[in-house]
Amino acid sequence: MPTHRGGPHGSPHLPSNEPHPGSGRTGTPGSATRALFRPVAAWPVASRQVLALGVAATVAALAAGCGSSSSDASPPAPTTQVVTSVSGEKTTIPLKVDRIAEQFPAHTVTDIMLGAGDKLVAIPQNVKTIPFLRKVFPGVNDLPELFRNGGKVNMEELLKLKPDVVSTISGGDTMTPFTQAGLPAVNMAFDTFPQLAPSIQLAGRVYGGTAVTKAKEYADYVNAKLAMVQSRLAKLPETDKPSVVHIASYPPVVVDGGKSLIDGWIKIAGGTDSASGVKGTHVTVSMEQLLQWNPDVLIIETPGGDQGLAANSAQSVVDNLAKSPGWADLKAVKANRVYLNPQGLYPWDRFGPEEALQIQWAAKVLHPDLFTDVDIRSETRSFYQKFFNYHTTEADLDQILQVGSK
């Protein structure tokens, strides 16, 4: 039997009974079988290329076969999303929201601004009493008022309306009756100025579609106006900041205290809040307390839209205050620095997107010399055109800005 010796790299020589290249001889019987078991590295180059092509084709065929299996079918598109309320609660809501129940009066304005007004199925008491809101969104007149002062709700009627989401007035226990009834509830209400833009953008995510873009446009606008006001007042000495009391209603004297939204915009606008020691919103104080504060400036809210108050003029509040002993002795009254706070779709001073106008108006009221270029009428007209697609008339602007009321 022939002896096989390793080649220069340790590979075996071809068996002697196989044809030598170029010899023209054919191998003896069985040579083809033995050739199949040679190491691939010893195969001719052409054979190795054919093998590689065959393996590749097989792998491709297997891959194609796997790709056609039912396991590769696309998963169904999601129909829900999880959102986090301003107060931190997580809620699963439909991706497509078509029916909105609104518990928070001021948030009705956000719904309208984001193009979701036509999706409202229920609103709070007294929202439809605000004249300018009825003009911008006449559909409010046909909506049932199922939410009442003190968090009361007509749950039986609300369930019949089958809302996709309930926009609540606050978080925590306020949301419990709705979740227990199987209604998705989200708190989109803001309590401080820094929460304003994020709360609007949360509403955009909840409502979806074009509301997302409009919410982003609003956030950009309010942040730009806030930066403008803050930059002009950045170097203002504390001694140049007038003391301010904001009166929400009378009688009795109702104010908003420290850490409230009202306290926030007073400070943003370059004032000091005389009522900062009072905690909370809508806090009743005595006339004696107001006389003790004796502020440089009084800002009177135009009541209306709140669940407990029908719309009225700020001048009606001033007229009642003027009958109180000591009113005429107040520093702000003597200096003719009693101002009527504007009201558009809602009072500018509290909890709605019109807060973007409020900080500009208040800054100009408190520091007119630093904001001579800010034309509040022009800014107001532009705001409602941009965010509500509504062209204000001169009569509208007079009503909003309380011109001729004081």
Side-chain angles (χ1 to χ4, degrees):
M1 181 172 292
T3 300
H4 299 290
R5 297 178 181 173
H9 302 290
S11 59
H13 289 296
L14 292 176
S16 60
N17 59 353
E18 289 192 359
H20 241 285
S23 67
R25 291 191 298 143
T26 59
T28 58
S31 63
T33 301
R34 288 194 300 274
L36 289 174
F37 294 96
R38 287 182 295 156
V40 173
W43 289 18
V45 173
S47 299
R48 279 181 277 162
Q49 290 175 335
V50 170
L51 175 63
L53 290 172
V55 171
T58 302
V59 171
L62 289 171
C66 292
S68 63
S69 68
S70 59
S71 64
D72 193 49
S74 298
T79 58
T80 62
Q81 64 170 323
V82 177
V83 296
T84 303
S85 290
V86 171
S87 45
E89 299 86 356
K90 294 185 181 299
T91 306
T92 300
I93 63 170
L95 268 176
K96 190 174 187 295
V97 170
D98 291 319
R99 302 177 67 79
I100 303 164
E102 184 57 72
Q103 184 187 31
F104 187 28
H107 202 261
T108 306
V109 181
T110 298
D111 301 335
I112 296 168
M113 181 181 76
L114 297 182
D118 290 336
K119 297 180 180 181
L120 287 168
V121 296
I123 58 172
Q125 177 187 14
N126 287 328
V127 169
K128 62 176 68 174
T129 67
I130 300 177
F132 188 62
L133 190 149
R134 293 199 307 269
K135 289 190 72 173
V136 174
F137 183 64
V140 72
N141 295 309
D142 302 323
L143 294 171
E145 298 174 314
L146 300 188
F147 302 97
R148 300 284 169 164
N149 195 29
K152 298 175 184 177
V153 57
N154 187 333
M155 189 63 74
E156 182 180 355
E157 291 300 314
L158 183 62
L159 288 170
K160 291 179 183 178
L161 295 173
K162 299 179 179 179
D164 295 318
V165 67
V166 178
S167 170
T168 63
I169 197 166
S170 62
D173 293 342
T174 302
M175 303 171 73
T176 302
F178 305 111
T179 56
Q180 288 180 341
L183 298 175
V186 182
N187 171 27
M188 295 176 272
F190 62 95
D191 298 314
T192 64
F193 204 90
Q195 293 176 330
L196 169 56
S199 75
I200 300 290
Q201 291 189 282
L202 170 60
R205 289 195 298 275
V206 170
Y207 302 151
T210 58
V212 177
T213 303
K214 181 58 72 71
K216 176 63 166 57
E217 290 176 355
Y218 175 83
D220 291 343
Y221 172 83
V222 70
N223 287 334
K225 296 304 180 182
L226 175 62
M228 180 271 291
V229 170
Q230 290 178 325
S231 66
R232 296 193 187 188
L233 297 172
K235 297 181 180 180
L236 188 70
E238 288 295 318
T239 54
D240 289 347
K241 296 179 179 180
S243 59
V244 180
V245 169
H246 171 272
I247 296 179
S249 62
Y250 178 83
V253 179
V254 176
V255 301
D256 295 273
K259 297 185 179 179
S260 67
L261 176 65
I262 280 73
D263 178 79
W265 61 251
I266 287 174
K267 292 174 179 175
I268 288 171
T272 59
D273 183 9
S274 296
S276 61
V278 177
K279 303 304 178 186
T281 59
H282 280 178
V283 179
T284 299
V285 298
S286 65
M287 179 59 72
E288 288 73 19
Q289 177 63 77
L290 181 60
L291 291 170
Q292 183 178 339
W293 284 330
N294 196 21
D296 298 315
V297 174
L298 281 164
I299 296 178
I300 313 299
E301 179 177 330
T302 303
D306 194 293
Q307 291 172 334
L309 293 171
N312 206 338
S313 70
Q315 185 60 47
S316 66
V317 179
V318 175
D319 291 343
N320 285 326
L321 282 165
K323 300 172 186 176
S324 302
W327 172 258
D329 297 325
L330 286 166
K331 189 189 307 182
V333 175
K334 289 180 178 180
N336 197 30
R337 298 202 74 184
V338 178
Y339 300 96
L340 309 182
N341 209 113
Q343 180 192 80
L345 283 86
Y346 203 76
W348 282 11
D349 48 335
R350 60 176 66 248
F351 307 115
E354 290 155 306
E355 283 290 332
L357 293 171
Q358 175 71 14
I359 58 172
Q360 299 175 74
W361 173 83
K364 180 151 186 163
V365 161
L366 299 183
H367 302 283
D369 293 345
L370 296 178
F371 295 91
T372 55
D373 60 323
V374 176
D375 183 337
I376 293 299
R377 287 182 76 90
S378 176
E379 192 67 35
T380 301
R381 182 184 292 108
S382 174
F383 178 85
Y384 290 117
Q385 183 67 56
K386 178 179 178 65
F387 292 108
F388 295 88
N389 196 31
Y390 181 86
H391 177 72
T392 53
T393 64
E394 292 302 312
D396 289 332
L397 293 171
D398 286 348
Q399 181 185 63
I400 292 166
L401 299 171
Q402 308 283 309
V403 173
S405 298
K406 179 169 172 286

